[in-house]
Amino acid sequence: IIATGAAAKTVGIPAEAKFFGQGGGVSTCATCDGHSYVNKTVAVIGGGDSAMEEASYLARLVDKVYLIHRREEFRASKIMLKRAQ
C-alpha cells in the first residue's frame, strides 16, 4: 500500500499503474483498501502526518508496516510520530 499524503499521489515507478487499485497491491487510501491487506506486510511511503495516520491505521490490520521516506527525518508532527511509534 502506498499512502503518500492528503491528496492522492503516486510515486511514479514503472509497475505502479499495473498494480494500482482493486487489491492489486498499490493504493492511495489505507482506510479504503486496508481490509484487502489483513495479516500481510505493507509499506507506507511518506513522512508527513498523513503517512503516519495511514500507518497507524494499518498497524491494527496487518502483520507489519514499513515506513519509507526519502529524508533523514520524518516531517510529521511530534504527536503523530509518537502515535505511529
Side-chain angles (χ1 to χ4, degrees):
I1 290 184
I2 298 177
T4 56
K9 298 179 192 173
T10 56
V11 177
I13 56 177
E16 190 172 45
K18 178 180 177 182
F19 296 105
F20 190 84
Q22 300 297 321
V26 176
S27 171
T28 56
C29 179
T31 55
C32 303
D33 301 322
H35 63 280
S36 297
Y37 304 99
V38 172
N39 299 325
K40 295 185 179 179
T41 299
V42 300
V44 172
I45 298 177
D49 284 347
S50 295
M52 297 304 148
E53 189 172 346
E54 301 281 85
S56 297
Y57 172 79
L58 288 167
R60 292 178 267 162
L61 301 174
V62 303
D63 284 340
K64 185 179 279 192
V65 178
Y66 287 98
L67 279 167
I68 300 172
H69 187 51
R70 63 182 169 189
R71 296 189 176 112
E72 292 293 321
E73 296 179 4
F74 293 115
R75 295 171 299 163
S77 63
K78 290 180 183 180
I79 187 108
M80 288 304 295
L81 284 171
K82 188 171 183 176
R83 286 181 192 168
Q85 290 173 342

